[in-house]
Amino acid sequence: MQNQYRVFSASHIGQRNENQDAFAVLTHSKCDELLCVVADGMGGHEGGAFAAKKVVETCKVKWEESESVIDPDTFLNELAFCAHEAVIDSGNAKFDQAQSLVSVLYIHLEKSIYVSMHVGDCRTIQFANKNFIKRTIDQSLAQLHALKGDISDDEIASHPDQNKIYSSIGGSEPPSPIIEHYSPDGDTFLICSDGFWELFNQHALGIAIEKIESAEALEKLIEQQVSGKTHHDNTTAIIVKLPPSEDSSSMFVPPSLAAGQQESEVEGSLRTDGALPAESSLSAEGSKPAEGSTSSNDKNTSTKLTTYHYKFLLGLGSIIFVIALTYYFLSSTDSTHDLPEPLPTSGKTSPSKQSSEQPSGQAPDQKPKQTSEQNKTTPSEPQGKSSKEAIGTQASSGESGNIETRRQTPNIPILNIDDAIEKTEDVIRQKGGLGENDTLKVTTRGNAIGNSQVIKFQQFYKDLPVYGAQTITLVRDGKIANIDSKTLNDIDIDISPALSAKEAVILAEDEIGTRLNVLEAPQLIIFKKEDSYLLIWRAEVEKASGERVMLFLDSTNALIVEEISLHISGGQEEISFEDITSEDEASENEKD
């Protein structure tokens, strides 16, 4: 049949005890609208499969209640919050911890409208002739590392923080759904759980998807990629293939109608949900899941459509930073100006250090080994990657948390990134977020991912960094789409320390009762403690026990204001007090 669009779907249990993924492909009776849903139950949380199934069921109910979607953005947002309420209102104590992630793609066939909503790290990805066009931005800590430029996009799958999710359906906090709009330029959409996209790098994924022309081929592809792995997650994918843009027609026509079947006989033929039990896993031969789980998804679906001029709308991706902002500030300590937030001193590795250290068991200078062929086709398999965990806003703690976050969506047009940097400070200063002695300095220019790029700033007072006072600007589609700022405008403090770094460390040794090996030259910073400002020496040290900690020492009396437990030392060279003295002298000379 000419000018068909096709839908293929498949799900695989991976090396898990049960398949916690669920999915659905839904149409309206008029057959000009399509909704594809993939939900991923939060692994490690009892009731993950229940939550994913509940998400899909909610989508089906809301879809059937609406004869047509008038406002896709509103409809998709409502899906997220209705699903959230459905999960937490289950009334079954067994599912108190049930959570799910989701990606939903809405398509209006006649008008060539393509809009997605997602929560977590399930993705919707658009391709054109196997070439990547755009994808959703994960709500995971690993994604934030990529946005900041710490890792590449393809390294997200194997990063140890990939399992840390900061927004979910059914969690302790409401979800932060992100809406994305897509141009009609692409010819293929992929909606999938992380178990699928983690199997490929971006280039290989486009090539693999282009070759899929049946549900059986998709099942076989997943089976081939999963086989040989030892602990891979559930894997679910829906592929929607559109006809070439130069072809035009205006109605969706199911294959059975084209063959002469009455519309009443095929209405709802695509309405399926795919919450698969453990016994539904695919065999090595690529056999189909258990009967009834995805049977109607095995049918190819066709369409005719007219290509209209569709203006690409500004996505609402800025909401990604609403919940993640404070945790984002924790995730980089490689710059002397990029300071970590204080965490409870539990002896566990702090998120800021964990994200920048080598994976467990890997020598500091040793890079992950991978063959050239692996680099071309698929990212390395995550070694020992744990089940997903929701980190939420409770991950942030410490006194710097009393710096209020101001969120703005100015939508200011910019010429380039340098222009965005200049205008960010202008906006914050105009809103009263900076004093006359304060400036913003760029600490990170993140890599551009799709049409988004992140810039991270540190506030300085008279050239001293202000602890926890950081700003994140999201640039999207040639505009400043979002500014999340934690800045202070009332700092008034003498920046001449009463104690040198050497003196402060010696006094701290007496207070702790142990020798402190200084690992990095201490840094003088401004620290907000309740309603007061302190001049603090920040020093990374190693105790006699081998424990590495970050000490925040009051420069007037050397009292320990905060202590962050980092990790056991790997034998880093001690810095002598002579080095500290030299650093102090250099600092004084700079001021002079």
Side-chain angles (χ1 to χ4, degrees), residues 411-429:
N411 286 330
I412 300 175
I414 58 170
L415 301 175
N416 48 43
I417 293 299
D418 290 334
D419 190 30
I421 293 171
E422 182 178 343
K423 288 181 178 177
T424 293
E425 181 167 342
D426 290 343
V427 169
I428 295 176
R429 197 173 293 280

Side-chain angles (χ1 to χ4, degrees), residues 403 433-435 438 459 466 486-491 528 533:
I403 302 179
L434 293 171
D438 302 312
Q459 179 182 354
V466 182
K486 296 178 70 172
T487 56
L488 301 163
N489 63 1
D490 59 347
I491 304 174
K528 184 176 183 182
Y533 293 104

Side-chain angles (χ1 to χ4, degrees), residues 330-484:
L330 299 175
S331 58
S332 177
T333 58
D334 55 350
S335 168
T336 57
H337 295 155
D338 205 5
L339 308 180
E341 298 281 353
L343 295 172
T345 55
S346 60
K348 296 181 180 180
T349 303
S350 70
S352 58
K353 284 295 178 184
Q354 184 184 37
S355 64
S356 60
E357 294 295 324
Q358 297 290 341
S360 176
Q362 183 177 311
D365 296 328
Q366 180 183 356
K367 295 183 178 180
K369 293 182 179 180
Q370 212 175 28
T371 65
S372 58
E373 187 61 28
Q374 285 176 319
N375 286 329
K376 293 178 181 178
T377 58
T378 180
S380 58
E381 180 183 4
Q383 296 300 313
K385 183 174 124 180
S386 59
S387 299
K388 289 191 177 75
E389 57 179 288
I391 57 178
T393 55
Q394 67 272 20
S396 175
S397 62
E399 295 298 334
S400 65
N402 61 17
I403 302 179
E404 180 185 1
T405 299
R406 290 178 295 276
R407 302 183 176 96
Q408 304 173 55
T409 54
N411 286 330
I412 300 175
I414 58 170
L415 301 175
N416 48 43
I417 293 299
D418 290 334
D419 190 30
I421 293 171
E422 182 178 343
K423 288 181 178 177
T424 293
E425 181 167 342
D426 290 343
V427 169
I428 295 176
R429 197 173 293 280
Q430 290 170 7
K431 296 293 184 179
L434 293 171
E436 61 178 353
N437 293 315
D438 302 312
T439 58
L440 290 184
K441 295 183 181 180
V442 176
T443 58
T444 305
R445 293 194 191 197
N447 293 331
I449 297 183
N451 58 349
S452 303
Q453 187 168 357
V454 169
I455 312 168
K456 187 176 179 182
F457 303 82
Q458 172 72 49
Q459 179 182 354
F460 283 75
Y461 172 79
K462 295 182 178 179
D463 291 329
L464 288 184
V466 182
Y467 181 74
Q470 303 184 28
T471 294
I472 296 176
T473 293
L474 173 66
V475 174
R476 181 182 290 251
D477 290 335
K479 296 181 179 180
I480 297 178
N482 189 81
I483 299 176
D484 282 325

Side-chain angles (χ1 to χ4, degrees), residues 25-43:
V25 180
L26 309 171
T27 65
H28 275 137
S29 58
K30 294 181 179 179
C31 298
D32 58 357
E33 293 174 287
L34 178 69
L35 194 75
C36 299
V37 184
V38 171
D40 178 2
M42 289 283 277

Side-chain angles (χ1 to χ4, degrees), residues 256-277:
S256 50
L257 269 182
Q261 191 172 356
Q262 293 297 318
E263 182 171 356
S264 60
E265 298 176 19
V266 297
E267 180 179 341
S269 63
L270 292 178
R271 301 175 188 265
T272 62
D273 64 296
L276 304 180

Side-chain angles (χ1 to χ4, degrees), residues 120-121 123 135-167 194 197-198 320-321 324 327-332 351-352 354-356 382 385-386 388-392 444 446-447 449 454:
D121 63 354
R123 290 182 179 179
R135 73 163 173 85
T136 51
I137 303 298
D138 307 333
Q139 293 176 313
S140 71
L141 190 53
Q143 175 69 85
L144 295 181
H145 292 317
L147 282 168
K148 291 191 302 172
D150 296 339
I151 61 175
S152 70
D153 207 28
D154 285 334
E155 290 173 320
I156 293 175
S158 56
H159 195 278
D161 284 341
Q162 168 54 17
N163 65 313
K164 294 180 174 64
I165 306 297
Y166 57 79
S167 184
D194 66 321
W197 62 257
E198 285 179 354
I320 187 174
F321 300 103
Y327 200 84
Y328 184 89
F329 290 157
L330 299 175
S331 58
S332 177
S352 58
Q354 184 184 37
S355 64
S356 60
K385 183 174 124 180
S386 59
K388 289 191 177 75
E389 57 179 288
I391 57 178
T444 305
N447 293 331
I449 297 183
V454 169

